[in-house]
Amino acid sequence: MTAVAAPARVRALTGAAGDPRWSRPAMWTVLAAAFVLYAWALSGNANEYYAAAVLSGTRSWKAFFFGALDAGSFITVDKPPLALWVMGLSARIFGYSTYSMLMPQVLAGVAAVGTVYSAVRRSFGRTRQGHVAALVAAVVMTLTPITVAINRDNNPDTVLVLLLVLAAWFCLESLRTARLRPLLLAALFVGLGFNAKMLQAYLVVPAFGTAYLVCARHGLARRVGHLLAAGVVLVASSAWWMVVVDLWPAASRPYVGGSTGNTVRDLVIGYNGLGRIFGQDRAGGGSGGANFGGQAGAGRLFNDVMAGQISWLLPFCAVALAFAVLLRARGTVFDGAAWLLWGGWLVVHHAVFSFSHGTFHPYYTTAMAPAVAALTGMGATVMWQAYRGSRGWAWALPAAVAVTGGWAFVVLRRTPEWLPWLAWVVLGATTVAVVALVTVFVTGLVPASATGAATGLVAGRGRMAGRVTVVALAAALVAGLAGPAAYAVSPLGARVNGTNPTAGPSTGRTGGPGGFGGPPPGGELPGPRTDALQGGEPDARERGSMGGGVAGSTVQYLVANQGRATWLVAVGSARQASSIILSTGRPVIAMGGFTGSDPAMTVPRLRELVSSGRLRYVLPGGRGGPGGGDTAVTTWVTADCAAVDGHTGLYDCAH
């Protein structure tokens, strides 16, 4: 039995029979590098909004299920809770800390890299080319700057990407094996993605559906039937939590944060749905929020804010897709399903992200990284094969390298004070790669392995061409990956900016009214942060102010005088509430939700909470977010409650 188990363990490390000996060690090296990039020197609470919900979920299973911001379950966060469940279970098992909350994110990011590797390799079969394409894809996925930034954070996008990549893997597996079950599993994972970030998960559906409809090895009627069955699974796996919440009596559950009518349906259609695309503002959503990633338009992903986060290899992907279309038009046989799936994924995301007029953060584009990675790996492999085997198609590879390196030079020169030498290294590498590739092509030299020549002048020319080609490929790697790699390592030395995580240098062209404010890429949010739950002490700035402008002395007073009340205090917005929850570990009501404009608190509701003894203190400020707040609540508090001496803005409503 031992003799059988040992080879299995070896195969896990070195690969199956027939695989190149380097393939599996190279894959494990990339995964280890991804883990280091995503896990190195994590600190703080990342996005305090979600961190407070994770902590609250460790104190109350009700808060855990609904994704409530506070353990008293007054209001939910503005997203479905699947990603919070993953982090919350870890925090329940290991105790709340930076690493117990963020390590599931790190592992999800690493798993996504491995899944992309597997999906790309399977598209080529067990061939050397397949392993090369998969390895390139894994490296690109690992080094995508915005992916590194978001995988070190607690926003739901990391879990969303893993679920969508798993869905892509199963969709391709269904096409490869002509079986229905993998397609149904693909639909299941997209539905789970919906419960991480709602309608954004559905952006992959057109690509999956098109790939299956065009490439499945069944008759048309059967393909349509399979897609309808997958649609049923998609709806069921998407809607179950929404149905449960909306059918739950509203009086005994939290208010649905971000909604206008206290229903998840409203959240799906408005704030997390059409409002993101058309800018129909709700709870801080509208077009003003677009300033986080620049103005909507065809050039958004290439502007000063976005270019360094996701655009490095988009020119290469464009050339690769055009090349694949030309090959298909000429009747060349290759895995069209993979090109349709990943190409459709990239095109749909590019269009939606470019032209959305609602709130737009750069980190949304991490959902493009799997498609960019897969298309880069597949494109590089196919264009290399064409370069070696066809003089008619040999132009594609040097052209792709030229436009990629040229664009990287442009991006790096936008911040000439940051690593000023790197842009010129990239330009030099691009020049070397293109000149070498063109020289081999124009002179008619080809590597010896391509000709099979073994003697004389031809063999010598082949060896010379081989050396030149190796130099060209090495230079091409520098041209394509040096820029994103430099950006990718930048978050390792910076404190996690949870609200708007980005990588690379500040461009000075970000920020906006959405969310909690817009710091520059790689920068930090202004205001206090506390690590009291991890044994840390507030710094000098934090001793004077906590909770989005709430004085530290006021927080101390509230803790000392909470008594038997369920909530420590009611404040205007989640920015105030989150920081107080994290610094004290106690429930705090965010009356206006994320931005302070949710109609969650009314005068009758506030009176009922006070009269029942569940709430005593109110800080009514900070509710003037986009869309306004309930001024009647503030009017009632200031008129009927007693101001607490020495604590500006604090009212005792049980006085």
Side-chain angles (χ1 to χ4, degrees), residues 127-437:
T127 63
R128 180 178 295 272
Q129 292 81 7
H131 287 284
V132 172
L135 185 62
V136 171
V139 170
V140 171
M141 181 81 175
T142 297
L143 295 179
T144 301
I146 196 60
T147 295
V148 176
I150 196 62
N151 288 349
R152 298 170 56 82
D153 189 61
N154 58 359
N155 278 276
D157 298 73
T158 297
V159 172
L160 172 67
V161 168
L162 174 59
L163 292 169
L164 296 184
V165 168
L166 288 169
W169 192 96
F170 279 105
C171 185
L172 291 171
E173 186 70 3
S174 178
L175 290 165
R176 189 177 69 87
T177 62
R179 294 167 57 210
L180 174 60
R181 182 181 297 178
L183 181 66
L184 300 182
L185 288 172
L188 172 66
F189 280 111
V190 175
L192 293 175
F194 178 90
N195 283 294
K197 212 175 178 192
M198 293 192 168
L199 288 183
Q200 186 179 334
Y202 285 2
L203 294 183
V204 300
V205 172
F208 291 6
T210 301
Y212 195 84
L213 196 61
V214 172
C215 300
R217 301 198 303 270
H218 305 291
L220 179 60
R222 196 171 182 185
R223 296 182 210 179
V224 173
H226 286 180
L227 288 175
L228 290 175
V232 172
V233 174
L234 175 62
V235 171
S237 60
S238 298
W240 72 270
W241 182 81
M242 175 176 66
V243 171
V244 169
V245 174
D246 284 353
L247 290 179
W248 201 291
S252 61
R253 64 161 170 81
Y255 184 92
V256 178
S259 71
T260 56
N262 195 18
T263 67
V264 183
R265 294 191 308 276
D266 176 69
L267 190 63
V268 172
I269 296 171
Y271 180 53
N272 285 328
L274 299 180
R276 299 279 172 164
I277 297 175
F278 299 111
Q280 296 169 350
D281 198 14
R282 256 304 297 128
S287 60
N291 289 333
F292 280 111
Q295 295 302 311
R300 170 185 272 175
L301 300 187
F302 300 93
N303 66 26
D304 289 353
V305 177
M306 297 299 307
Q309 307 305 316
I310 191 63
S311 78
W312 302 92
L313 291 167
L314 290 181
F316 190 95
C317 291
V319 175
L321 281 172
F323 185 68
V325 170
L326 290 174
L327 284 181
R328 194 66 174 177
R330 294 290 298 271
T332 303
V333 178
F334 65 99
D335 189 356
W339 286 95
L340 278 173
L341 186 146
W342 297 115
W345 180 322
L346 182 62
V347 169
V348 172
H349 278 79
H350 190 291
V352 172
F353 290 159
S354 294
F355 294 100
S356 292
H357 289 274
T359 297
F360 180 78
H361 286 271
Y363 64 79
Y364 296 173
T365 59
T366 189
M368 298 172 64
V372 171
L375 291 171
T376 301
M378 295 191 304
T381 301
V382 172
M383 284 189 281
W384 170 243
Q385 290 175 316
Y387 176 80
R388 296 182 65 188
S390 170
R391 291 184 62 82
W393 297 105
W395 56 267
L397 183 60
V401 172
V403 297
T404 302
W407 175 243
F409 176 78
V410 171
V411 174
L412 291 168
R413 288 302 296 167
R414 288 177 175 177
T415 52
E417 71 286 350
W418 186 77
L419 301 180
W421 51 268
L422 183 58
W424 301 104
V425 169
V426 168
L427 183 62
T430 303
T431 303
V432 169
V434 173
V435 169
L437 290 171

Side-chain angles (χ1 to χ4, degrees), residues 5 17 26 42 82 177 206 324 431 446 477 498 624:
L42 296 173
L82 184 69
T177 62
T431 303
V446 288
L477 286 174

Side-chain angles (χ1 to χ4, degrees), residues 9 37 66 80 93 113 119 148 179 194 216 255 333 368 373 395 397 432 490 508 532 555 569 581 588 606 610:
R9 290 195 295 268
L37 279 174
F66 287 107
I93 294 170
V113 173
V148 176
R179 294 167 57 210
F194 178 90
Y255 184 92
V333 178
M368 298 172 64
W395 56 267
L397 183 60
V432 169
S490 65
V555 175
V569 65
I581 290 170
V588 175
L606 183 55
V610 172

